[in-house]
Amino acid sequence: MAPAAMTFASSLSDAQPVAFWLDDPARPAALPALTGDEHCDLLVVGGGYSGLWTALLAKERDPGRDVVLIEGHEVGWAASGRNGGFCAASLTHGLGNGIARWPGELARLEELGDRNLDAIEEAVARHGIDCDFERTGEIDVATEPYQVAELAEMHEEARRHGFDGLELLDADAVRAEVNSPTFLGGLWDRRGVAMLNPAKLAWGLKEACRGLGVRIYENTRGLELAASGAGMAVRTPYGRVFARRVALGTNVFPSLVKRVRAYTVPVYDYALMTEPLSEQQRAEIGWEGRQGLGDVANQFHYFRITADHRILWGGYDAIYPYGGKVSAELDHRPETYLKLAGHFFRCFPQLEGLRFSHAWGGAIDTCSRFSAFFGTAHGGKVAYAAGYTGLGVGATRFGADVMLDLLSGERTERTELEMVRSKPMPFPPEPVAWAGIGLTKWALARADAQGGRRNVWLRAMDRMGLGFDS
């Protein structure tokens, strides 16, 4: 092993193989599993953000509605407790994706996204959820000269569409915010993103739901969905739930509506967390504004600073397991941790000697249009939302509202959206999916290495509105 690689490896020697957010003595104990039969008005399947927001909003819309939520493991243990804690207003996986896919309704989508983030901030305050919520914004940073031009183009495109909330930064301005010799420019969204502790948000939503009367059963996996009289029934390991309506918030896990499964694939994403920075180290990097950051390469990194002055550094590798396998064995990937550590110290060479305390991974539900899709089954008695592609911390609340709208059978400003009424293109079966995703990943890496130039394959994917991302 080369000396530099040995240095990177030594920074990982004490890293615990567990998500930092979940490694918390305040983590609540699991609630009992369901045994026997339950009856309710609304059954929510899934105890991540999607299910939690659905249960909470259902009770806020109608306090008399009888709501049950089941979770296959513990609330917040999967993507909701493992992500970077970036809570974005965007419902479209960024302005660029929204412009490309829904230009005619982009203004409404942006307005709905802003209102959704405001509502999350208000709910956190109203329910007293201690999740380190900070509306500090996010800076997209350029680390290659061609990316500086891309950021300028995006800034101008946003202004042409009437969005003036983005601030273009040159190298000096972005380094004044966060000091890295690799930063050549930036695009700062000051209000459209909040930073938070993702596990504490999930745990806080769990308690808020319980406070409103939602009955939650953990370690209760939904095994089978079937019609039952005028409603639906979901079989669990030790019982059944009979419900008038069902909302599915299972996201990366196989949907109980089988036809939905082809629309998503699991992508494994990995992250590192440093030990707390010393005062001197904090002075060397600045970051007084505590914004979230992400570079704009195809194989990108996301990074942020925590309440106790650690740095989370994640992204880059997006690993698709053959056949769409979701397995705990894939939650750790030492070769990716080593790669991320090397990238970290190239970004922040002044932090040489800093060590990582945690290293972990988890699965994201990716769809070919990068943003959530919605629908119903069983004659409108079942609703689902999935495909958030890494931006579900904020958008899942909007998705919860959509599912409740669909289950009510009423037309709303959300259900009339083309984004809600349309579906992404499904992924093909194996081995075509494996080959296509592999080719796309190779092409994206090649584009990063060649000044952003997209080859014939990527240009064809662009024309078809397809992509692969985490």
Side-chain angles (χ1 to χ4, degrees):
M1 187 180 291
M6 290 178 63
T7 299
F8 303 151
S10 66
S11 70
L12 292 161
S13 62
D14 297 323
Q16 298 299 305
V18 63
F20 169 77
W21 315 111
L22 298 175
D23 187 21
D24 188 329
R27 181 174 179 171
L31 296 170
L34 172 67
T35 56
D37 291 348
E38 259 281 22
H39 295 80
C40 59
D41 297 323
L42 173 67
L43 170 63
V44 179
V45 182
Y49 296 140
S50 189
L52 291 165
W53 281 118
T54 302
L56 185 69
L57 293 174
K59 291 295 285 186
E60 289 182 343
R61 289 186 181 197
D62 179 2
R65 180 159 24 189
D66 190 20
V67 180
V68 167
L69 182 150
I70 61 172
E71 160 56 40
H73 190 51
E74 294 181 29
V75 162
W77 76 279
S80 296
R82 298 167 186 257
N83 62 82
F86 288 62
C87 185
S90 177
L91 305 175
T92 62
H93 207 276
L95 189 62
N97 195 48
I99 291 172
R101 298 184 186 279
W102 301 288
E105 61 186 28
L106 184 64
R108 196 186 329 172
L109 286 167
E110 289 292 302
E111 179 190 356
L112 287 168
D114 289 341
R115 283 161 44 187
N116 184 65
L117 183 55
D118 289 344
I120 292 172
E121 184 172 16
E122 188 274 334
V124 165
R126 177 161 42 89
H127 293 289
I129 299 175
D130 180 15
C131 63
D132 304 326
F133 189 99
E134 299 179 280
R135 198 150 174 181
T136 53
E138 179 179 4
I139 303 176
D140 292 333
V141 295
T143 58
E144 297 289 344
Y146 76 89
Q147 295 170 1
V148 176
E150 287 183 350
L151 289 180
E153 290 172 8
M154 178 51 64
H155 183 248
E156 182 58 32
E157 183 84 352
R159 294 187 64 178
R160 281 200 300 270
H161 283 81
F163 305 111
D164 298 321
L166 303 180
E167 180 179 349
L168 193 63
L169 307 175
D170 63 18
D172 289 340
V174 72
R175 291 176 189 175
E177 296 297 329
V178 184
N179 183 23
S180 167
T182 67
F183 293 172
L184 304 179
L187 191 61
W188 188 358
D189 181 352
R190 287 180 175 268
R191 289 283 300 165
V193 184
M195 296 292 106
L196 52 77
N197 180 313
K200 286 185 176 180
L201 174 61
W203 300 335
L205 290 173
K206 172 184 175 180
E207 290 309 305
C209 286
R210 295 184 71 199
L212 294 180
V214 177
R215 300 192 300 288
I216 297 177
Y217 297 96
E218 295 181 276
N219 293 305
T220 301
R221 183 182 170 196
L223 300 175
E224 185 180 19
L225 173 71
S228 177
M232 302 298 300
V234 172
R235 183 170 60 86
T236 70
Y238 307 127
R240 295 171 299 176
V241 183
F242 297 92
R244 293 181 56 251
R245 297 289 184 267
V246 177
L248 301 178
T250 49
N251 296 305
V252 77
F253 298 99
S255 177
L256 293 178
V257 177
K258 291 183 179 179
R259 70 171 183 268
V260 176
R261 296 179 185 178
Y263 290 108
T264 63
V265 295
V267 176
Y268 277 80
D269 179 58
Y270 300 91
L272 305 176
M273 185 71 83
T274 73
E275 62 189 354
L277 274 63
S278 67
E279 288 190 16
Q280 180 179 347
Q281 288 168 328
R282 288 157 54 190
E284 288 174 347
I285 62 169
W287 218 337
E288 297 296 326
R290 303 180 58 79
Q291 310 93 331
L293 285 92
D295 63 60
V296 294
N298 292 305
Q299 291 183 289
F300 62 93
H301 305 88
Y302 55 88
F303 39 116
R304 50 80 56 97
I305 197 159
T306 67
D308 59 347
H309 308 295
R310 301 168 184 262
I311 297 175
L312 178 144
W313 179 266
Y316 195 79
D317 276 348
I319 305 301
Y320 168 69
Y322 184 86
K325 177 184 178 184
V326 178
S327 169
E329 296 176 3
L330 301 171
D331 286 347
H332 298 288
R333 198 167 190 267
E335 59 267 45
T336 293
Y337 299 152
L338 185 61
K339 186 184 299 182
L340 286 173
H343 296 170
F344 176 87
F345 288 112
R346 280 196 285 276
C347 182
F348 295 117
Q350 65 270 49
L351 298 181
E352 181 180 355
L354 190 66
R355 301 175 72 82
F356 297 100
S357 63
H358 295 76
W360 72 94
I364 294 168
D365 61 323
T366 291
C367 75
S368 61
R369 74 182 192 188
F370 306 146
S371 54
F373 63 91
F374 315 89
T376 61
H378 292 276
K381 299 173 189 175
V382 177
Y384 57 83
Y388 290 96
T389 315
L391 256 69
V393 179
T396 44
R397 185 192 175 281
F398 173 81
D401 263 331
V402 171
M403 284 195 284
L404 293 172
D405 288 349
L406 293 172
L407 290 174
S408 75
E410 298 177 6
R411 287 187 173 186
T412 69
E413 61 179 338
R414 289 176 288 264
T415 62
E416 292 299 293
L417 292 167
E418 180 187 351
M419 177 189 178
V420 170
R421 292 184 288 106
S422 63
K423 294 282 195 300
M425 184 172 289
F427 289 93
E430 298 293 12
V432 179
W434 170 262
I437 290 171
L439 179 57
T440 302
K441 288 179 60 179
W442 172 83
L444 290 170
R446 184 179 176 87
D448 284 339
Q450 296 187 339
R453 292 189 295 276
R454 299 174 76 82
N455 64 13
V456 173
W457 176 259
L458 291 180
R459 292 198 299 272
M461 296 279 281
D462 292 342
R463 286 193 296 273
M464 295 172 64
L466 300 178
F468 176 78
D469 202 355
S470 67

